[in-house]
Amino acid sequence: MGKILLADDHGLVRETIAAYLMQNGLHEVTAVGDMTGAEAALDTSSYDLILLDYRMPGMESLDGLRKLAERFPDVPVALISGAAGGEVARQAIDLGAAGFLPKTLGPDDLIQAVSTLMAGGAYIPDDALADASHRLTPREVEVVRGIAGGKSNKEIARDLGVQEVTIKLHVKTLSRKLEARNRTHAAMRARDLGLV
């Protein structure tokens, strides 16, 4: 039996995951709703695993993960998310996360993931890393960041020192990769994936 700290700002999700882990994994779970609560819990008790929601108050994208991984290097930290994709999973691992758990995981997979993490292993579902369709080239990332910043194709072309037609090609390619309907949708999808 291990002690798990679960931080998620959605009460129903938090309570459902906590109850399931306690019933099926026989773990003791402390559930909090934001980063401040997580830090307070960690200051008063020790845990065998920390599960952090990617989007919750105080998380500041992946800064909260980085901070906890640095403060508690001996405790595995895993990111849980309902929206983030493969790029965020890769960034989280680069920052010291031991795992990435999509909220779409089935109950048995969740128990398996937690068991793996508590045994000192890493857990990332294959489909999170096989998210190759979302892998933008560095130039495509620059272009979608320009779009997200409200710049026109002409402005992005001037910033990057290329022709406007080149930017139009990049927009077409990155929109296809992101399964976006238009420039604005591409910027929104890129933001959801943590690319901008």
Side-chain angles (χ1 to χ4, degrees):
M1 178 166 160
K3 286 182 68 177
I4 299 172
L5 174 63
L6 169 63
D8 191 308
D9 64 330
H10 293 99
L12 181 61
V13 171
R14 182 175 67 239
E15 297 311 320
T16 302
I17 292 174
Y20 192 77
L21 289 175
M22 286 188 283
Q23 289 167 4
N24 295 280
L26 303 176
H27 300 297
E28 181 183 327
V29 181
T30 301
V32 297
D34 56 26
M35 201 61 190
T36 305
E39 290 174 327
L42 286 160
D43 286 339
T44 58
S45 188
S46 60
Y47 293 90
D48 301 305
L49 175 64
I50 303 168
L51 300 175
L52 291 179
D53 183 21
Y54 175 57
R55 293 186 188 276
M56 69 175 172
M59 186 66 170
E60 307 301 332
S61 188
L62 291 170
D63 287 344
L65 168 73
R66 181 190 297 116
K67 197 180 347 176
L68 290 188
E70 288 172 0
R71 272 187 67 196
F72 304 95
D74 298 331
V75 183
V77 181
L79 198 65
I80 54 177
S81 175
E87 186 60 33
V88 172
R90 277 185 285 280
Q91 290 174 8
I93 300 304
D94 289 346
L95 292 172
F100 177 79
L101 284 64
K103 289 182 183 175
T104 53
L105 275 182
D108 293 342
D109 290 333
L110 176 64
I111 294 295
Q112 178 61 48
V114 167
S115 298
T116 299
L117 290 164
M118 295 199 50
Y123 183 87
I124 306 156
D126 293 339
D127 57 346
L129 288 180
D131 211 358
S133 62
H134 292 153
R135 285 201 202 125
L136 303 185
T137 65
R139 180 50 58 104
E140 287 167 348
V141 171
E142 289 176 320
V143 172
V144 81
R145 284 182 176 153
I147 295 169
K151 294 182 178 178
S152 68
N153 286 350
K154 184 183 272 185
E155 290 171 313
I156 297 168
R158 189 183 60 233
D159 290 349
L160 299 179
V162 298
Q163 299 294 315
E164 186 178 354
V165 66
T166 304
I167 298 302
K168 286 180 179 175
L169 285 171
H170 283 309
V171 171
K172 186 174 181 179
T173 304
L174 68 86
S175 292
R176 188 181 71 245
K177 287 182 178 180
L178 295 171
E179 300 173 348
R181 296 181 298 275
N182 53 41
R183 297 172 91 245
T184 306
H185 190 220
M188 288 168 51
R189 294 277 297 134
R191 192 169 290 126
D192 288 345
L193 292 165
L195 299 173
V196 297

